[in-house]
Amino acid sequence: MPAIAGKSVAHRQLLFAREVGCESVIAFGSGASPDGIDLRHAAERVGVKFSVISTAHALPGIIREDDSLLVLTPGLLPESRVALDLLRAEGDRILVVSAGPGARAGFERIDLDRAWAGAMTIPGHLLGGLAGLPEDVAPHGALLRIALQQRLPEARLADSSLDDGRWIQVSSREVAESRTAEWLHNQLGGEVAGAPSRWLARKFITGAGSKLAQMRHARAAALTLALCLMGASMAAGIYERPAFGFALAALSVPVLELFLAISRLGVAPFGELRRWPWICFAVDATLFVLGVLAIDSLPYRAIFPPAVLAFGLLLLDKRVLPRWLLPLKDRMVIGGFLAILAAIAKPELGIMLAGLLVLAANTISPRR
């Protein structure tokens, strides 16, 4: 089966079906292939019952008359929120698009005006019509014909939904591979201007292949590496190597961004990352501790410049900056700046200059 970013299209249909509210999933095929076994395991992990049929005649025996069956055509990548809302609404319906754009996108034309958008919900009491059809009939097309004959209500999906890559037909592995970069762009967002650490993390994901996001321990490994780098940077500060410590802190930022990117891909496309964004404050804490350790003076003199820098960075996150000032929000840039000045001059001078730049940026930028 074609795969998008490490998950087969069927697996992504499974995730969509769960979002719609399905309690069980029925796959059409043998179920004994490696892909079929992986799909069964994926269904078990998300708490959905899984079964396989090899003939459309088996459907009426599985679906009760008061059930509703969501039908997804093979090869459909269903990740449009608009389509999700239409299918989650009360009442069964056929999802349609305009005939011209739909046919060009690979969807089945119904008539001169409309094409089937590859998804519908159909009441269980209509499935008895499958008994009068040949046993080897494809269930998706047969159910569409039954739904049309019974004049099931229709819901029209905007033609623009076919252009953004969130509701498309993936007919081959080649098409899937060409769509993977677009999928990553949709899930991670395209705006990385002024954020070198985020740019590096996304380049690493796309360069290493999207399978990185699906590796079992990739997320834990990225988080562990980032925490180890921050711990090592503070250890360098204790042993009076501030330049090395700031460099390690700067290096931890793209690794942390890699962890967050993998986490976002793990809950994509409908989930939200709520638990982990706070971890970015760990970098600010690391820079603060390093600053205090790097300044050899009385405690209040050692604490004040790093505190000004840390609070200035937190305030800067709430500001809308012009593009040329955006790198000041990136802790990798700040850490690298501090490492360079700590190596060629005094760490205290670097901390004060960085704090001054951050405060200046705060004064010329409005709040969000």
Side-chain angles (χ1 to χ4, degrees):
M1 289 184 285
I4 301 287
K7 289 181 181 176
S8 70
V9 173
H11 189 166
R12 299 204 175 278
Q13 289 187 350
L14 165 68
L15 298 178
F16 181 82
R18 183 188 61 175
E19 288 296 321
V20 171
C22 294
E23 298 176 352
S24 63
V25 169
I26 304 166
F28 178 60
S30 67
S33 67
D35 283 334
I37 295 171
D38 288 344
L39 188 62
R40 178 183 293 275
H41 292 162
E44 293 170 352
R45 284 195 297 271
V46 298
V48 175
K49 297 177 183 178
F50 184 84
S51 57
V52 180
I53 60 170
S54 57
T55 172
H57 285 186
L59 272 177
I62 300 175
I63 307 297
R64 297 177 304 184
E65 289 195 354
D66 58 345
D67 280 337
S68 181
L69 176 66
L70 169 68
V71 182
L72 299 174
T73 188
L76 174 67
L77 179 64
E79 297 192 339
S80 167
R81 287 189 177 273
V82 175
L84 174 64
D85 291 338
L86 288 173
L87 292 169
R88 264 198 306 212
E90 186 177 353
D92 296 298
R93 63 202 61 201
I94 306 171
L95 209 59
V96 299
V97 292
S98 298
R104 287 193 295 272
F107 294 103
E108 182 178 352
R109 184 190 291 267
I110 297 175
D111 55 27
L112 292 175
D113 177 60
R114 60 210 167 115
W116 183 36
M120 65 177 175
T121 50
I122 183 171
H125 66 83
L126 295 183
L127 301 186
L130 292 170
L133 300 175
E135 190 171 354
D136 60 350
V137 68
H140 309 84
L143 290 171
L144 174 63
R145 300 295 174 268
I146 292 173
L148 291 173
Q149 290 170 5
Q150 297 296 322
R151 300 186 181 279
L152 203 66
E154 297 178 0
R156 187 171 286 265
L157 186 64
D159 297 341
S160 58
S161 301
L162 307 179
D163 300 327
D164 61 5
R166 299 179 192 274
W167 195 266
I168 59 172
Q169 280 290 128
V170 181
S171 56
S172 65
R173 294 182 186 273
E174 291 73 21
V175 173
E177 290 173 1
S178 67
R179 290 288 184 175
T180 294
E182 182 182 5
W183 187 88
L184 290 171
H185 174 87
N186 287 338
Q187 306 310 323
L188 296 177
E191 184 58 43
V192 292
S197 60
R198 193 167 302 158
W199 180 84
L200 284 173
R202 294 185 185 181
K203 278 293 182 183
F204 187 79
I205 284 183
T206 55
S210 55
K211 290 183 180 179
L212 175 68
Q214 305 304 325
M215 291 182 181
R216 186 175 181 181
H217 301 297
R219 185 166 166 267
L223 178 60
T224 301
L225 179 57
L227 294 176
C228 286
L229 287 170
M230 285 185 274
S233 70
M234 287 188 282
I238 293 173
Y239 288 100
E240 299 182 354
R241 296 290 186 271
F244 185 52
F246 284 123
L248 288 175
L251 186 60
S252 72
V253 181
V255 180
L256 201 57
E257 287 288 351
L258 178 64
F259 162 75
L260 292 173
I262 294 174
S263 300
R264 288 188 185 96
L265 294 179
V267 299
F270 302 110
E272 294 182 2
L273 189 61
R274 298 177 179 175
R275 200 183 290 179
W276 290 107
W278 61 267
I279 203 170
C280 295
F281 297 133
V283 180
D284 293 334
T286 301
L287 292 175
F288 173 77
V289 172
L290 271 174
V292 173
L293 293 172
I295 298 175
D296 186 14
S297 183
L298 295 173
Y300 68 90
R301 290 183 178 177
I303 292 174
F304 184 72
V308 170
L309 175 60
F311 283 111
L313 287 171
L314 292 175
L315 289 173
L316 200 60
D317 288 337
K318 301 181 182 296
R319 301 278 181 176
V320 178
L321 297 180
R323 186 177 294 267
W324 61 278
L325 281 178
L326 284 175
L328 289 178
K329 287 186 175 183
D330 195 319
R331 274 50 170 182
M332 185 183 76
V333 173
I334 297 296
F337 177 78
L338 294 174
I340 293 172
L341 284 184
I344 64 178
K346 290 185 176 181
E348 184 175 3
L349 176 62
I351 295 169
M352 293 174 69
L353 284 176
L356 184 61
L357 288 172
V358 170
L359 288 176
N362 270 290
T363 59
I364 65 176
S365 303
R367 283 183 177 272
R368 286 179 182 172

